[in-house]
Amino acid sequence: MSFQIEIGGGGAHVFSAAHAGIHDRTLEPLHGHTFTVTVRLHGDPDGTGMVLDFRRVKEGLREVIEPLKRRTLLPETPVVGTCHVADGRVIVECGDDWYSFPRRVVALLPVPNTTTEELAGYLLDRLMPYVDGAPGIDRVELVLAEAPDTRAVASVVLAKATA
């Protein structure tokens, strides 16, 4: 029998952050969201009846979310324009638009754009070390909601270990 386990969706798995995505080759106005993260683990239980120890994933979620809390999320190398650090500031430029932030309030991310989809994929990549090695897991999904009616789902299908 296969199961789906959900972890997150509230409490420590919620964070507020600002971003300015790039749409149609222009930088959108800076704005923020209160993001909610949920992880879905799909798989078969082991001999003890567990798909995976929840504590491991909860710890992982806290660790990957913490650096993004109350930060402005920006791409290190944007899909269009530039982002650079100089004199303790982060400057993002795209066409005629630009923003300048104190470095301490910015999380520079290895994504081309800070869309909800890219952020979901980034978080899932960072979470995978906490899930890898669980023999019964065959799929991991990370749901990132930026609003009650808007979310992106990133997923990874894992090869099951054969005995």
Side-chain angles (χ1 to χ4, degrees):
M1 183 179 301
S2 189
F3 291 90
Q4 174 181 299
I5 306 298
E6 283 195 9
I7 299 168
H13 309 111
V14 173
F15 69 99
S16 295
H19 74 134
I22 300 168
H23 300 282
D24 297 324
R25 304 186 59 81
T26 60
L27 199 58
E28 71 178 339
L30 182 67
H31 64 285
H33 298 284
T34 298
F35 292 98
T36 303
V37 183
T38 304
V39 174
R40 294 182 188 136
L41 304 166
H42 301 263
D44 302 320
D46 62 15
T48 68
M50 290 190 333
V51 174
L52 178 71
D53 185 347
F54 295 171
R55 292 176 297 176
R56 196 161 123 191
V57 176
K58 287 181 178 183
E59 173 190 331
L61 273 177
R62 278 191 301 275
E63 288 189 22
V64 301
I65 290 170
E66 188 60 35
L68 307 183
K69 286 183 173 180
R70 297 172 305 281
R71 296 288 180 265
T72 299
L73 311 178
L74 297 172
E76 287 177 329
T77 308
V79 66
V80 188
T82 63
C83 179
H84 61 276
V85 179
D87 300 322
R89 303 202 62 76
V90 176
I91 300 158
V92 177
E93 299 177 74
C94 183
D96 294 333
D97 297 321
W98 63 275
Y99 290 109
S100 175
F101 303 97
R103 177 64 183 100
R104 72 182 181 286
V105 303
V106 173
L108 287 174
L109 304 176
V111 297
N113 201 352
T114 54
T115 61
T116 304
E117 299 92 307
E118 288 288 342
L119 295 173
Y122 168 80
L123 289 168
L124 180 56
D125 286 345
R126 297 299 179 274
L127 183 66
M128 287 309 296
Y130 296 89
V131 176
D132 282 345
I137 301 290
D138 54 33
R139 187 167 49 134
V140 181
E141 297 176 334
L142 187 136
V143 181
L144 182 63
E146 68 172 36
D149 64 347
T150 309
R151 61 189 52 84
V153 181
S155 63
V156 174
V157 175
L158 303 172
K160 282 196 174 186
T162 56

